[in-house]
Amino acid sequence: MAENLITKDVQKLDPASSLIQLFEIEYTEGNFVYVHPGLKENLGSVQFRDYDTNATIRTYSAIPMQVEGFEAKTSGAIARPTIAIANATNAFSGAIGTIDYDSLLGLKIIRRLTLEKYLYGESGDDSPPVEFPRQVWLVDRIKARTKEVVQ
C-alpha cells in the first residue's frame, strides 16, 4: 500500500516533495552507516524509519556523493551502479571506522528512495515508512581510492 501512495505522489504533475536517496552501507557484517547525498542546499542529517523495525528511527548523515547507474532493465546485463563518496575530510572513513576499503568487499549497500515529505518528522511521516522497493547491492570492487574520494 505504501508503494502505491508514493507512486501516485511521483506521478503528479507538480509533486510537492523532492525524491530523496538514502543509503545504508554495511561496513562490517550486520553493522551499517546511514548516509545521504544531501537535500538541495542543506547538508544536514535527515531521519527515516527503519525498514525492519518501523518504531526505530535512523539518522542519515549527509556526505557529498555522486551516484549513477541505478537503473531497472527488463533485458540485457544487470545494472552495475557506482557510488563515489567524498572523503576529503575523512568523513566516510571516519563513519565506517577504517581506511581499509577492501574490507567492504562482499558487503551490502542498500538504496532507499522516498519523498522528502515522508522523512521522519515531516507531514507524510507514517509507519511503516512510505518508500519505493529497496535496492540491495553487494560491493564487488573498489574502483578508486584517493584522499578525496572512494568509488
Side-chain angles (χ1 to χ4, degrees), residues 94-106:
I96 64 172
T98 185
I99 55 171
D100 177 18
Y101 302 116
D102 288 332
S103 66
L104 299 174
L105 296 175

Side-chain angles (χ1 to χ4, degrees), residues 2 49-51 54 125-131:
R49 294 186 181 275
D50 187 71
Y51 182 79
N54 301 151
D125 177 34
D126 202 4
S127 181
V130 178
E131 64 183 313

Side-chain angles (χ1 to χ4, degrees), residues 83-148:
I83 299 177
I85 302 173
N87 198 35
T89 62
N90 293 326
F92 181 61
S93 58
I96 64 172
T98 185
I99 55 171
D100 177 18
Y101 302 116
D102 288 332
S103 66
L104 299 174
L105 296 175
L107 298 178
K108 297 177 195 170
I109 294 181
I110 300 171
R111 179 182 185 227
R112 299 176 74 185
L113 288 173
T114 190
L115 293 176
E116 188 174 1
K117 75 179 193 176
Y118 294 122
L119 294 173
Y120 180 74
E122 298 293 329
S123 64
D125 177 34
D126 202 4
S127 181
V130 178
E131 64 183 313
F132 286 105
R134 295 183 323 154
Q135 297 175 324
V136 180
W137 301 88
L138 297 179
V139 177
D140 67 346
R141 71 183 172 128
I142 305 299
K143 188 173 181 179
R145 62 187 110 198
T146 67
K147 291 180 182 177
E148 295 83 25

